Amino acid sequence: MQHQCLLGIDLGTGSVKALIVDRADGRALGEASVDYPIDRPEPGTAEQSPEAWWRATVDAVHRALTNSGHPTIEAIGLSGQMHGTVTLDAAHRPNGPAIIWADQRSAREAREIEERLGDELLDISGSRIAPGFQAATLRWLQRHRPECWATTRHILLPKDYLRLRLTGELTTEPSDAAGALLFDIQTRDWSSKLLDAAGVGREQLPPIVPSSASSGRLTRDAAMALGLPPGIPVAGGAADAPAAALGAGMIAPGDLMITLSSGAQVYTPLDAPLVDRLGRLHTLAAPFEPGEGPLWYAMGATLNAGLAYRWLRGLLFDHPDESTFDRMNDLAATASPGANGLLFLPYLAGERTPHLDPDARGAFIGLDARHGRGELVRATLEGVSFALFDAWQVLQETTGANPAVITLAGGGSRSKVWRQILADLFGLPVRTLRGGNQSALGAAMFAAACTGDDVTDLVNRWVRYEAVSPPDSNGHNRYRALFSIFRDACEPHRAIVQALRQWGQAGNPGFPSA
């Protein structure tokens, strides 16, 4: 029997995932993931090669097609890492590496844009500007790489570079455009005031199409590279967080999703643009049109989840691979809650919610000779969880969300011990989803929608919940007490980090200059 199939492509921070699903029920027929590195030429930098993205995409699609028996693909959907910047010359060629969301160089430029716009920034965009957001990165390029800026004719977000390679079209959609911080979340279009503040011309940015609309068709060259027939429609798609929310069935205001990927997010859909006036949260445009679903969402974002776990993996194990994460989870399960008195502050690359501090740095506190790899791993999982709970408190305060269950998505959701830590800390049951990549599934949903399906109907047909981890009352009480210690540790630690930075700026060798 020949299946009617959709292809979802998710351009993540560390890998691209290709997922082929059955149109009838969203069941995965074939999937593949191909890694690529984050280049860090200096401390605080985070760059990637757009060409490496494309090569990995071609490889992943070929593998997924082989794994699924080469079915007929009716449409393609895209999702991808948010906020990053790809600049192109007049011939649509990248004129430098992509600067991605984890890059911290543009802190000065972010402050300058905020000072210029004041409270109007939150009114228009729904969010403060963090380093690594496209608006700040573009100002940084103007100041520090004028030769690159002089030849920049087009500006894309990461997944939209894949769209260009697939279709030849320069296009984006509302949810990713909103994450650039050049977008008005009320009018759902580029904002002239934000463009002026960032020094960007509207003609440099792509047109915006609905997420569930076709944005172009597969070109002959792209089709040949991927092993697909030309002419397949490519949907607008979505940024990775809202794509994951759709793939997790999060389409009702008040639903709570936690995503554990390279970074991590707490996410709830909104039927009105509720903005945190202190700027600790991001309130952004959702990938829906009126009548399809909630038009906004609120998100607390932490920068260090899988990034911290992957960093620890590299320290503890020689020649690690993906199976090493299973060993780490087994080690974490051998340590008791609280990791035998070891606390981890996970701020290896700055932090967003609630601190919005690019200079935040991490620490193990309480380390002694008793602690082994199990305690180090468990403390890392707990520290990331505490940072997420910190973000959740702001989200709840701003939106009034009162969920009955947490839906957990992302690669970290496969960890049974991490699920239980979150259930105990939040005091809510945690459920996981069928399948391993909700962002790619959400992208496939938009592919289905651009060829005739209704989004709500797709959620009812495709989304299936699996394992549920109920909270333990004793664990809840212990983790809430430990969270108070975590919060108390943050401010003194930030003061120590600032003192170290001043020491380094005084010319001491061995201290990062960026």
Side-chain angles (χ1 to χ4, degrees):
M1 174 181 170
Q2 180 65 48
H3 295 277
Q4 294 180 310
C5 296
L6 293 313
L7 169 62
I9 300 172
D10 173 44
L11 182 76
T13 304
S15 64
V16 64
K17 298 90 176 174
L19 174 67
I20 296 172
V21 300
D22 189 319
R23 187 169 199 144
D25 60 6
R27 187 165 41 89
L29 301 177
E31 54 190 307
S33 177
V34 177
D35 293 347
Y36 35 74
I38 299 175
D39 300 320
R40 299 187 183 274
E42 297 176 23
T45 64
E47 300 178 346
Q48 289 181 321
S49 162
E51 183 61 31
W53 291 341
W54 175 246
R55 290 196 303 268
T57 299
V58 170
D59 190 2
V61 170
H62 274 286
R63 295 187 193 185
L65 287 168
T66 298
N67 293 339
S68 60
H70 292 272
T72 299
I73 302 298
E74 297 185 317
I76 300 170
L78 301 174
S79 74
Q81 53 171 292
M82 299 174 66
H83 313 303
T85 301
V86 182
T87 56
L88 306 174
D89 64 17
H92 296 177
R93 296 172 302 208
N95 57 9
I99 298 177
I100 67 170
W101 61 270
D103 192 278
Q104 298 295 303
R105 283 173 287 187
S106 55
R108 173 185 173 187
E109 289 72 23
R111 287 194 300 271
E112 289 174 351
I113 294 172
E114 291 195 335
E115 289 168 0
R116 176 171 176 177
L117 291 168
D119 290 342
E120 203 168 19
L121 173 64
L122 285 174
D123 295 333
I124 298 171
S125 72
S127 172
R128 290 182 63 188
I129 296 180
F133 279 32
Q134 192 176 90
T137 295
L138 293 172
R139 287 295 288 168
W140 184 90
L141 286 171
Q142 293 161 31
R143 174 174 283 147
H144 295 281
R145 291 184 180 169
E147 72 289 348
C148 168
W149 185 249
T151 61
T152 294
R153 296 293 177 268
H154 306 284
I155 300 162
L156 293 177
L157 290 141
K159 80 167 190 326
D160 298 322
Y161 177 76
L162 287 189
R163 187 194 321 280
L164 174 64
R165 296 297 296 263
L166 292 169
T167 69
E169 300 290 339
L170 296 162
T171 308
T172 191
E173 46 69 42
S175 68
D176 225 1
L181 269 287
L182 297 168
F183 181 89
D184 188 321
I185 63 171
Q186 299 279 9
T187 66
R188 299 174 72 82
D189 196 3
W190 302 117
S191 162
S192 296
K193 288 186 177 180
L194 297 185
L195 295 179
D196 288 346
V200 177
R202 183 177 288 260
E203 73 282 355
Q204 293 176 289
L205 295 172
I208 300 167
V209 303
S211 295
S212 56
S214 174
S215 62
R217 292 183 176 271
L218 200 63
T219 66
R220 186 170 299 279
D221 287 346
M224 184 175 298
L226 296 175
L228 291 169
I232 297 173
V234 178
D240 59 357
L246 177 60
M250 300 289 99
I251 57 173
D255 286 346
L256 174 60
M257 180 185 72
I258 292 177
T259 303
L260 297 173
S261 298
S262 295
Q265 299 87 31
V266 289
Y267 178 111
T268 189
L270 299 173
D271 54 14
L274 302 174
V275 175
D276 172 43
R277 301 312 302 179
L278 297 178
R280 297 165 294 178
L281 289 178
H282 310 297
T283 298
L284 300 173
F288 303 119
E289 298 301 301
E292 285 185 336
L295 298 183
W296 301 273
Y297 67 92
M299 181 174 70
T302 68
L303 297 180
N304 306 276
L307 284 177
Y309 211 35
R310 194 173 292 271
W311 163 81
L312 185 66
R313 182 186 69 166
L315 291 182
L316 297 183
F317 298 93
D318 294 328
H319 311 297
D321 56 25
E322 289 302 308
S323 67
T324 311
F325 288 127
D326 294 330
R327 294 176 60 193
M328 293 173 72
N329 291 328
D330 291 341
L331 284 167
T334 67
S336 61
N340 199 15
L342 183 61
L343 184 68
F344 178 59
L345 305 185
Y347 311 123
L348 301 183
E351 187 55 303
R352 287 197 204 149
T353 309
H355 305 294
L356 202 63
D357 181 3
D359 294 330
R361 292 297 178 263
F364 282 105
I365 300 173
L367 185 67
D368 67 31
R370 298 172 300 158
H371 294 132
R373 292 192 297 179
E375 285 85 5
L376 288 167
V377 174
R378 187 174 191 104
T380 299
L381 297 182
E382 290 173 343
V384 172
S385 301
F386 291 143
L388 281 165
F389 191 73
D390 214 2
W392 160 244
Q393 290 190 320
V394 179
L395 188 72
Q396 190 174 43
E397 172 192 327
T398 302
T399 68
N402 186 29
V405 63
I406 297 170
T407 299
L408 194 60
S413 66
R414 295 192 293 271
S415 168
K416 183 178 179 180
V417 65
W418 207 346
R419 296 197 302 264
Q420 193 61 52
I421 290 168
L422 289 167
D424 291 349
L425 174 59
F426 281 70
L428 291 170
V430 172
R431 64 184 179 185
T432 57
L433 295 124
R434 179 184 70 180
N437 191 285
Q438 273 63 55
S439 293
L441 183 64
M445 285 181 164
F446 286 116
C450 91
T451 51
D453 276 307
D454 175 77
V455 168
T456 302
D457 183 55
L458 287 168
V459 168
N460 293 333
R461 283 164 38 204
W462 287 20
V463 178
R464 295 292 180 268
Y465 302 106
E466 292 190 340
V468 176
S469 300
D472 174 79
S473 58
N474 289 331
H476 178 64
N477 293 334
R478 293 181 69 182
Y479 274 131
R480 287 297 181 89
L482 190 56
F483 173 71
S484 295
I485 298 172
F486 174 88
R487 287 297 307 271
D488 289 343
C490 287
E491 284 306 315
H493 177 68
R494 290 171 75 181
I496 292 169
V497 169
Q498 182 59 32
L500 282 170
R501 187 167 298 279
Q502 292 171 353
W503 174 84
Q505 290 170 347
N508 290 288
F511 195 88
S513 59

